[in-house]
Amino acid sequence: MTVQTDSCLESSVMQSIVKGLITDFKKQANPEMAAPMKSYMKNKFPFFGIKAVPRRAITAVWIPEFKKIDKEERQEVIEQLWQQPQRECHYAALDLAGKIIKQTDLSWLSFWEDKIIRNSWWDTVDFIAPSLIGPLLIGERGLQEEYAWKWMESRDLWLKRAAIVFQLKYKEQTNETLLYEIILANADSREFFIRKGCGWALREYGKSRPLSVSSFIHDNQEVLSNLTIKEGLRRLSK
């Protein structure tokens, strides 16, 4: 009689999660929805054609099993889903990750950096940076600056956007000096997603510090793009 070790059991659970999710997605695939979903994402990824609500319902079935496995197994589940072509698999990986944020630590940073630069587009980056990386760096001023400037010095568009938006949920805990320095460092960028990201970051911070954001935009309106100013002032103007 063969006795299964704990690692074998964990591996079996890991594989069942990945295979189960993909099988469930295939069962719910809707080719008529897949085409417009792919088009909306500029044809960068194929889709099963499953909308957010049913996709999350499918993923939710596997969350209890996902929570049972250890860090390495969790990362492997996410990685295997990330390797699938369909965008719903990437979303499922992030849906699962969102349920274990409190069990992650700084050792996850390089793992999430990798996911930012692979299968990259605004939809996944805008979840990873503020929702998965943000909680790891809050209160870590030194590391915030280290990683933000490292991302800025890279040639990767999405790492640069991560540097802009990772503080999105920090509110009063926002490292204001760093935020403003990063935005000014990107002021001459011609990239839509950079300009839009700068405006988004200002708009969110403006909910907590409206006068500061208003003054920053006013003082730097000659260098900030019109898109950044428009987005940054959207709620302030109300």
Side-chain angles (χ1 to χ4, degrees), residues 94-107:
L94 298 183
D95 288 340
L96 291 172
K99 300 301 180 181
I100 58 158
I101 294 173
K102 293 183 178 180
Q103 284 79 57
T104 61
D105 54 31
L106 291 170
S107 66

Side-chain angles (χ1 to χ4, degrees), residues 5-19 21 62-83 93 96-97 100 103-104 108 111-112 115:
T5 64
D6 288 345
S7 61
C8 288
L9 288 170
E10 288 177 349
S11 179
S12 176
V13 172
M14 181 192 75
Q15 293 298 330
S16 70
I17 294 170
V18 175
K19 292 180 179 179
L21 272 168
W62 297 98
I63 289 172
E65 295 300 310
F66 183 72
K67 288 183 174 180
K68 292 178 183 178
I69 55 181
D70 63 22
K71 170 189 171 182
E72 288 71 24
E73 294 283 335
R74 288 172 175 176
Q75 289 187 348
E76 185 59 27
V77 167
I78 293 169
E79 173 59 29
Q80 288 195 26
L81 289 171
W82 215 255
Q83 291 177 12
L96 291 172
I100 58 158
Q103 284 79 57
T104 61
W108 281 74
F111 182 79
W112 293 130
K115 302 305 172 287

Side-chain angles (χ1 to χ4, degrees), residues 161 164 186-200 224-229 231:
R161 183 162 168 114
I164 298 165
N186 282 293
D188 62 350
S189 174
R190 306 299 298 176
E191 289 285 353
F192 170 83
F193 289 109
I194 295 298
R195 293 182 168 194
K196 184 88 168 181
C198 288
W200 185 24
L224 297 174
S225 72
N226 291 334
L227 178 58
T228 295
I229 293 172
E231 291 295 321

Side-chain angles (χ1 to χ4, degrees), residues 26-38 47-50:
K26 287 180 178 178
K27 289 179 180 177
Q28 296 297 319
N30 184 340
E32 291 183 1
M33 287 300 303
M37 292 170 77
K38 181 180 179 181
F47 280 79
F48 285 116
I50 306 171

Side-chain angles (χ1 to χ4, degrees), residues 192 195-204 213 217-218 220-221 224-238:
F192 170 83
R195 293 182 168 194
K196 184 88 168 181
C198 288
W200 185 24
L202 289 171
R203 184 172 74 248
E204 288 302 306
V213 170
I217 293 175
H218 178 270
N220 296 283
Q221 58 185 321
L224 297 174
S225 72
N226 291 334
L227 178 58
T228 295
I229 293 172
K230 177 182 177 182
E231 291 295 321
L233 291 176
R234 182 184 295 180
R235 290 188 180 273
L236 292 179
S237 64
K238 293 182 181 181

